[in-house]
Amino acid sequence: MTERFARERLRHELKRRRIRVLRTESVAPGLARITFGGEDLEGFAAPGPGDHVKVFFPDPASGELTLPDFSSGRPRVPEGGGEVIVRDYTPYAFRPDAASGPELDIDFVLHGDNGPASAWAARASAGDELAIGGPRGSLLPPTGIDGAVIVADESALPAAARWLDALGDTRTIGLFSVEDPGTAAYLAGRERTTRKLHWFSGADRDSALAEALRGLAISEGALVFLAGEANALIPLRRYLRRELGLPKEQVEAHGYWKRGIIALDHHAPLDPSDPES
């Protein structure tokens, strides 16, 4: 592994936590921040910028929240129970010492009632309950890089925000593909002289972003983080890895969702044609 991209990995106890809604807030067009509390959040930790938790949602029809059993250290689906409805989310922020107890912010993309997560988030109110599991582990940022490129869509903006916070004054370029140009408000307040954040919207936003990426001069010490819709990321990763020849350790790519696929496993290979994906 290229030493400058070496990253410390932390392991956490796999634990199921019941949480309840404290408040909700619109943070950008189509993005809702829901703040959760509950005594089960004691001991929660997610220090890695790309950390994720599994969020368990109630059945939209019955309202029943079916949870797996974590007592064996691995989630086991209960026999004869209802459907386990689960999606992966990057925690936006965790405040262990909030005045009324620990608080966890999770941001949700709202896209109507086409999915149980979006439908639940759009109607969430104080007192509603969910459960989370994880994170199972954390991957801390590398300490030897001299720059970064962050590519994200709406689903990956929480991870992008966490990366920006972790990178501090490291020279960073952000390329963001979003449906509504007003979504740029999501990262308001994170502008710095060492950062250039570019937003792409409209029907040709993905192609415009790809062109912008090709126009960058990426140094050998810059980490590239890609996250969002899996199909849109495949050509970007192929460009970086195959055309530019960047090493695997320099390019981190995650498909957070995929058109036509329900509950995509983001650990699955992004590009099945590439054994290193």
Side-chain angles (χ1 to χ4, degrees):
M1 175 184 292
T2 305
E3 187 63 28
R4 73 175 72 209
F5 299 112
R7 302 174 65 179
E8 181 181 359
R9 186 181 297 274
L10 305 178
R11 289 293 180 186
H12 310 299
E13 177 188 3
L14 184 58
K15 184 176 180 179
R16 186 179 70 190
R17 305 172 191 268
R18 287 186 175 269
I19 56 179
R20 66 181 180 277
V21 175
L22 299 179
R23 56 187 178 272
T24 65
E25 175 188 6
S26 175
V27 291
L31 285 163
R33 177 165 301 148
I34 301 183
T35 300
F36 297 92
E39 61 182 19
D40 279 1
L41 284 173
E42 294 289 347
F44 178 85
D51 285 355
H52 68 276
V53 295
K54 291 192 174 298
V55 180
F56 299 92
F57 295 91
D59 184 290
S62 68
E64 179 182 359
L65 181 61
T66 302
L67 304 177
D69 180 4
F70 284 6
S71 60
S72 65
R74 291 186 177 185
R76 291 187 293 111
V77 178
E79 295 183 6
E83 179 186 2
V84 176
I85 302 174
V86 59
R87 300 290 187 269
D88 288 348
Y89 283 87
T90 298
Y92 176 77
F94 177 60
R95 294 175 293 280
D97 300 320
S100 299
E103 294 184 350
L104 175 66
D105 295 336
I106 299 179
D107 292 349
F108 295 81
V109 178
L110 305 180
H111 45 80
D113 290 345
N114 293 331
S118 174
W120 181 90
R123 296 170 174 79
S125 59
D128 290 350
E129 292 190 350
L130 287 183
I132 60 171
R136 186 187 297 268
S138 297
L139 198 59
L140 303 185
T143 58
I145 61 174
D146 60 17
V149 177
I150 299 173
V151 177
D153 66 8
E154 289 95 340
S155 70
L157 286 177
R162 288 174 60 107
W163 269 108
L164 290 173
D165 292 345
L167 290 167
D169 290 327
T170 301
R171 292 183 300 106
T172 304
I173 295 175
L175 304 176
F176 305 111
S177 172
V178 296
E179 184 173 349
D180 190 316
T183 304
Y186 186 89
L187 295 179
R190 285 185 168 85
E191 298 86 353
R192 294 191 182 187
T193 57
T194 54
R195 297 173 181 167
K196 294 182 179 180
L197 308 182
H198 305 278
W199 298 84
F200 304 88
S201 58
D204 64 343
R205 59 185 179 273
D206 288 340
S207 59
L209 185 152
E211 183 178 353
L213 180 64
R214 286 180 170 270
L216 297 181
I218 300 174
S219 72
E220 63 179 15
L223 178 73
V224 184
F225 175 81
L226 314 170
E229 201 278 323
N231 290 323
L233 297 182
I234 289 175
L236 304 183
R237 186 183 181 279
R238 287 179 179 173
Y239 163 70
L240 295 166
R241 296 278 286 114
R242 299 181 185 180
E243 293 187 43
L244 293 188
L246 301 185
K248 179 181 179 181
E249 295 80 13
Q250 190 173 356
V251 180
E252 182 177 341
H254 301 280
Y256 281 4
W257 63 287
K258 190 173 186 178
R259 289 184 178 86
I261 302 296
I262 297 175
L264 175 71
D265 179 3
H266 80 274
H267 293 295
L270 176 68
D271 185 355
S273 70
D274 185 346
E276 292 189 346
S277 68

